Amino acid sequence: MQVLEWIAMLTMLIDHVGLIFFPDREWFRIIGRIAFPLYCWFLVQGYRHTRNLKKYMWRLFLLACISQIPYTLALGQWELNVIFTLLLGLLALYSIDHIQDEKTKWFFTLGIFIAAVAIPMDYGLYGILLILLFHSFDEGKLILRHFFLNLLFLFAYGVDFGIQLFSILGSILIVLFPSYQPLTKYRWLYRSFYPAHLTILFFVLFIWGLRQ
C-alpha cells in the first residue's frame, strides 16, 4: 500500500477521534483536513485506472450505504456520509468524459451540482469541485488551484470554512508523492477502513458514556 493511503486513513482517524472525544482541541481537526483531498485524488486515479467503471460505481454505492449508520451514530451527523459525495464526483467525471450529447451532458452534470447543494452531505459541492479540479489540471498547478478553491469557499462561507484551508496540505503531499499503483495486499483494509473505524469509534463512545 502506498504511503498516501496510510496517511489518508491515519489523518481521517485522528480527525474523527478529535471530533468525537476532543472537540475543543483544534489540532485534531487541522491534521484531519489532510485526508479528504487524498481520498479525492484516489477516486480520480481509480477512475482513470479501473477496468470496470460500472462495478467501481456500484462498489462505492454499497460502501456508502454500509457506512451511513456508523457515520450517523459515531459522528452524530444527520447527513449523507462522504462516500456519497465521492460517488457523485465519480458520476460527474463520467458525465463530462463519456456522455456524447452536449445537452444531456450538461443537464446531467448540473443535476449533480444541484444534488450536492440541495442534499445534506459531507463536503457536498466543495467535494465535487475538488474532484473535478484533480481530474482536470496537472499536478504542477494542483496546489494553486486547490488554494483558490479554498479561498472561494472561504469568501462564500466565512470563518466556518476557515479550518478547511489546511486541506492544502493534502495537495502538497500529492505533489510530493504523485505516483499511483493499484492496491493489492491491503486492498481489503483500505476499502473497509471507513465504516470499520466509525463502528469502532461508536462502540468506544458508547462504553465511554456508560462509564461517565
Side-chain angles (χ1 to χ4, degrees):
M1 187 181 294
Q2 291 184 4
V3 63
L4 289 185
E5 274 87 358
W6 289 110
I7 292 174
M9 290 188 292
L10 179 60
T11 53
M12 180 171 61
L13 177 60
I14 291 172
D15 182 45
H16 291 161
V17 168
L19 179 61
I20 295 171
F21 300 104
F22 309 102
D24 58 331
R25 299 184 184 179
E26 198 171 55
W27 66 268
F28 281 90
R29 309 308 314 283
I30 291 174
I31 294 174
R33 297 311 92 203
I34 294 173
F36 184 65
L38 296 183
Y39 281 105
C40 291
W41 176 250
F42 302 152
L43 179 86
V44 170
Q45 297 307 308
Y47 167 76
R48 291 174 177 172
H49 293 87
T50 185
R51 297 178 181 177
N52 190 327
L53 183 58
K54 184 177 180 180
K55 185 177 179 180
Y56 187 24
M57 290 179 179
W58 275 111
R59 186 167 63 242
L60 270 183
F61 176 72
L62 291 174
L63 187 58
C65 292
I66 291 170
S67 302
Q68 188 58 42
I69 292 178
Y71 174 78
T72 301
L73 291 176
L75 303 183
Q77 301 290 337
W78 295 95
E79 62 181 8
L80 295 180
N81 67 74
V82 72
I83 302 180
F84 283 106
T85 306
L86 295 176
L87 177 59
L88 276 185
L90 186 60
L91 290 172
L93 295 180
Y94 174 83
S95 174
I96 291 171
D97 289 344
H98 295 282
I99 296 179
Q100 300 300 320
D101 181 74
E102 289 296 322
K103 290 183 178 179
T104 304
K105 174 187 295 189
W106 293 113
F107 179 81
F108 190 77
T109 305
L110 180 61
I112 291 173
F113 287 144
I114 292 174
V117 173
I119 302 173
M121 65 181 68
D122 197 11
Y123 283 103
L125 180 62
Y126 173 81
I128 306 300
L129 292 175
L130 188 59
I131 289 168
L132 294 177
L133 182 153
F134 284 167
H135 178 58
S136 302
F137 300 104
D138 61 71
E139 288 82 357
K141 300 178 181 178
L142 187 63
I143 296 174
L144 184 62
R145 303 285 184 174
H146 189 178
F147 174 74
F148 280 115
L149 178 65
N150 282 350
L151 283 185
L152 175 64
F153 274 76
L154 179 64
F155 289 138
Y157 294 96
V159 294
D160 291 340
F161 190 83
I163 197 171
Q164 190 60 30
L165 295 176
F166 290 97
S167 66
I168 197 72
L169 296 172
S171 287
I172 293 173
L173 287 174
I174 290 168
V175 172
L176 292 176
F177 304 97
S179 61
Y180 175 81
Q181 297 176 351
L183 302 179
T184 53
K185 185 176 180 180
Y186 296 102
R187 184 180 299 173
W188 63 271
L189 174 61
Y190 174 75
R191 290 180 178 175
S192 63
F193 186 80
Y194 185 72
H197 91 279
L198 289 174
T199 301
I200 293 171
L201 287 176
F202 168 69
F203 281 111
V204 172
L205 178 63
F206 180 75
I207 295 172
W208 180 305
L210 289 179
R211 293 181 176 179
Q212 296 304 311

